[in-house]
Amino acid sequence: MTATSGTPDGWKTRPMRTAAAYALVLLSPALAWSAWVSWDGGYASNAMSVLWFVTVALGCLISGILAPRSKRHYFTLVAIATVSTIVTLYLWWSSEDETGLFMVGIIIVAPLVLVASGVVLLIGRLLARFTRGPTSGGGDGQ
């Protein structure tokens, strides 16, 4: 608590942490594509594809650490992460395949991305509990 305001010391950073969490899940797929795939003309090697997935997962993990601990934020972040990842994969794979068979991959990967983003965000939330304490984060418990 600060001596003058009676509020927790980090109250001003909470909106910044929330904004950063949302920005990470929204932008990680596109930024990872820019870092690992775009410079290779869109045709990434297997190693670059793996790095893309690892980078997106790392963005979700950090987002889970930064986000407030409420169900509302958790489910919203999962939805944004899933949509952002699927849209990026669609744009990436559609640029490489003119036959339309990439849609089979999108259909297969969509439920996997949904589950994976939820799990990785949850791991981030659990890590935050150990690093920030059990009551920090401003979660409203919804």
Side-chain angles (χ1 to χ4, degrees):
M1 301 289 242
T2 61
T4 57
S5 68
T7 59
D9 290 328
W11 73 271
K12 291 181 182 177
T13 61
R14 195 171 298 145
M16 297 291 286
R17 292 172 70 100
T18 304
Y22 280 90
L24 274 170
V25 294
L26 180 65
L27 300 175
S28 286
L31 293 175
W33 182 84
S34 295
W36 304 116
V37 179
S38 66
W39 56 268
D40 199 17
Y43 297 98
S45 66
N46 288 340
M48 292 299 130
S49 296
V50 168
L51 283 172
W52 181 85
F53 279 103
V54 168
T55 305
V56 172
L58 185 61
C60 278
L61 180 72
I62 295 169
S63 178
I65 292 170
L66 294 175
R69 287 189 227 141
S70 72
K71 290 179 186 175
R72 178 177 43 107
H73 285 292
Y74 172 74
F75 288 115
T76 303
L77 287 167
V78 169
I80 291 170
T82 301
V83 170
S84 179
T85 301
I86 295 300
V87 166
T88 302
L89 285 173
Y90 175 84
L91 294 172
W92 173 10
W93 292 349
S94 68
S95 69
E96 293 181 3
D97 179 19
E98 296 174 6
T99 65
L101 288 176
F102 69 93
M103 284 306 295
V104 173
I106 295 291
I107 291 168
I108 291 170
V109 80
L112 299 173
V113 168
L114 177 66
V115 170
S117 64
V119 168
V120 173
L121 281 163
L122 185 60
I123 291 169
R125 286 172 56 118
L126 294 173
L127 287 174
R129 174 165 286 170
F130 293 114
T131 59
R132 291 191 290 178
T135 59
S136 65
D140 55 6
Q142 293 179 10

